[in-house]
């Protein structure tokens, strides 16, 4: 199986991620994808052929293997890698939509097509929630399908067409169990990184909204204070003008009285 498309996808998402998101990309690419391709895939490569039971009844080994391993560990691991990576396509598609929209209108509509604000921020948060959900779902699947994260050396099978209870042996159980623990550890690490990034973005956006409202509120109150001061000054000026206009006729009347007395 070729994993070039997943590598290209992770490289594209890395451009629009936060610092925590880039750590997540590195963990998925190095500790999950490369480990899968370089080592884990070969360990489970011939698991059906190496599954042996102590009876040669035709069909017995097949039904026992299908009972204990309804889905191969390695195929479920591959499906998990694909599912936890594909929500990042939402971010890539949204950025591509923004770029195409700017080309169609032939003008700059955004500060930057990859800037996490508005709709792109919501898309980014949704992708984080989906990735976290897929991680948890697959961990539960691993636990439920195989009765835990351990690989036993021996399993007992009594399913038809086996004539009686037979012992079946799994190849390389210790090695497989080590890789399963590694899978669980990296999945839990990715969950922690996704939740940390989700919390960081929500906190950052909340602080930004609060500061914007706070600044706007103080600007509005400052404008109101300025307008009240202007109105008060205008009223005071109008009052002074009114007093001076009243005093002028009184002065003229006094002058007339003085002139009449002198005559």
């Amino acid at each position: 199986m070729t994993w070039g498309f997943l590598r290209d996808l992770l490289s594209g998402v890395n451009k629009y991620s936060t610092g925590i998101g880039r750590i997540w990309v590195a963990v998925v690419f190095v500790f999950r994808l490369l480990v899968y391709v370089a080592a884990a895939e070969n360990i489970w490569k011939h698991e059906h052929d190496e599954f042996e039971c102590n009876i040669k009844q035709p069909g017995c080994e097949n039904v026992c293997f299908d009972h204990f391993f309804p889905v191969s560990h390695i195929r479920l691991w591959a499906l998990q890698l694909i599912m936890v990576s594909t929500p990042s396509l939402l971010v890539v598609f949204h950025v591509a939509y923004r770029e195409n929209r700017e080309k169609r209108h032939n003008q700059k509509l955004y500060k930057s097509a990859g800037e996490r604000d508005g709709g792109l921020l919501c898309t980014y948060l949704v992708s984080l929630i989906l990735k976290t959900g897929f991680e948890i779902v697959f961990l539960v699947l691993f636990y439920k399908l195989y009765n835990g994260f351990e690989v036993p050396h021996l399993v007992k099978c009594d399913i038809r067409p086996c004539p009686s209870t037979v012992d079946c042996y799994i190849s390389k159980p210790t090695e497989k169990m080590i890789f399963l623990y590694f899978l669980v550890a990296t999945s839990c690490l990715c969950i922690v990184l996704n939740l940390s990034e989700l919390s960081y973005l929500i906190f950052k956006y909340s602080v930004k909204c609060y500061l914007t409202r706070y600044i706007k509120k103080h600007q509005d109150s400052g404008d109101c204070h300025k307008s009240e001061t202007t109105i008060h000054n205008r009223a005071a000026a109008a009052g002074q003008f009114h007093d001076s206009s009243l005093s002028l006729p009184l002065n003229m009347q006094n002058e007339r009285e003085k002139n009449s007395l002198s005559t």
Side-chain angles (χ1 to χ4, degrees):
M1 182 177 182
T2 59
W3 292 91
F5 79 97
L6 192 57
R7 178 198 60 205
D8 296 338
L9 170 62
L10 295 176
S11 300
V13 172
N14 197 39
K15 295 187 295 184
Y16 314 117
S17 300
T18 63
I20 302 174
R22 291 187 178 95
I23 296 173
W24 178 86
V25 171
V27 170
V28 171
F29 185 75
V30 177
F31 295 104
R32 300 180 74 172
L33 183 58
L34 289 183
V35 168
Y36 176 92
V37 174
E41 196 172 20
N42 292 326
I43 295 173
W44 274 272
K45 191 173 184 179
H46 304 290
E47 59 176 335
H48 187 275
D49 297 335
E50 295 171 349
F51 183 82
E52 296 181 354
C53 298
N54 60 358
I55 191 172
K56 297 303 178 184
Q57 176 73 23
C60 181
E61 285 186 359
N62 289 333
V63 296
C64 290
F65 182 84
D66 184 69
H67 174 73
F68 289 106
F69 302 103
V71 181
S72 174
H73 285 93
I74 201 66
R75 291 182 178 86
L76 195 59
W77 192 349
L79 184 61
Q80 181 185 15
L81 279 174
I82 294 171
M83 294 302 293
V84 299
S85 301
T86 47
S88 301
L89 280 172
L90 296 174
V91 179
V92 176
F93 288 156
H94 199 133
V95 174
Y97 165 75
R98 281 185 165 190
E99 293 174 348
N100 186 52
R101 190 162 177 257
E102 286 186 339
K103 289 180 181 178
R104 194 168 63 248
H105 290 83
N106 198 23
Q107 59 179 332
K108 194 73 174 175
L109 300 175
Y110 310 97
K111 293 181 181 178
S112 173
E115 186 176 355
R116 292 180 303 275
D117 59 352
L120 185 59
L121 177 63
C122 294
T123 303
Y124 199 92
L125 294 177
V126 168
S127 70
L128 289 175
I129 294 171
L130 288 176
K131 286 189 287 188
T132 305
F134 283 135
E135 293 280 15
I136 295 172
V137 167
F138 275 95
L139 283 178
V140 173
L141 275 177
F142 269 103
Y143 188 85
K144 293 290 185 181
L145 285 175
Y146 309 117
N147 295 319
F149 300 111
E150 295 185 357
V151 180
H153 295 73
L154 170 70
V155 291
K156 294 185 177 293
C157 180
D158 57 356
I159 303 173
R160 296 185 58 139
C162 298
S164 60
T165 301
V166 297
D167 296 333
C168 297
Y169 302 91
I170 301 171
S171 65
K172 298 176 280 191
T174 304
E175 191 176 14
K176 289 178 179 178
M177 188 167 61
I178 291 171
F179 273 93
L180 277 180
Y181 285 154
F182 184 80
L183 161 68
V184 173
T186 52
S187 294
C188 292
L189 177 59
C190 287
I191 290 173
V192 171
L193 289 173
N194 287 331
L195 292 177
S196 300
E197 188 175 14
L198 186 66
S199 303
Y200 165 74
L201 289 173
I202 292 174
F203 176 77
K204 182 180 178 182
Y205 182 72
S206 300
V207 171
K208 183 180 178 181
C209 290
Y210 174 77
L211 290 176
T212 303
R213 291 179 181 177
Y214 180 80
I215 293 171
K216 186 178 179 182
K217 181 179 178 181
H218 276 257
Q219 285 179 345
D220 293 341
S221 62
D223 294 339
C224 290
H225 180 70
K226 285 182 181 178
S227 62
E228 288 176 358
T229 304
T230 303
I231 292 171
H232 178 73
N233 292 335
R234 288 179 179 176
Q240 291 177 358
F241 177 77
H242 182 68
D243 292 340
S244 62
S245 64
L246 288 176
S247 62
L248 182 60
L250 289 174
N251 292 333
M252 292 177 66
Q253 185 177 1
N254 292 332
E255 288 290 334
R256 288 177 182 176
E257 289 177 355
K258 286 180 180 179
N259 291 332
S260 63
L261 290 173
S262 61
T263 55

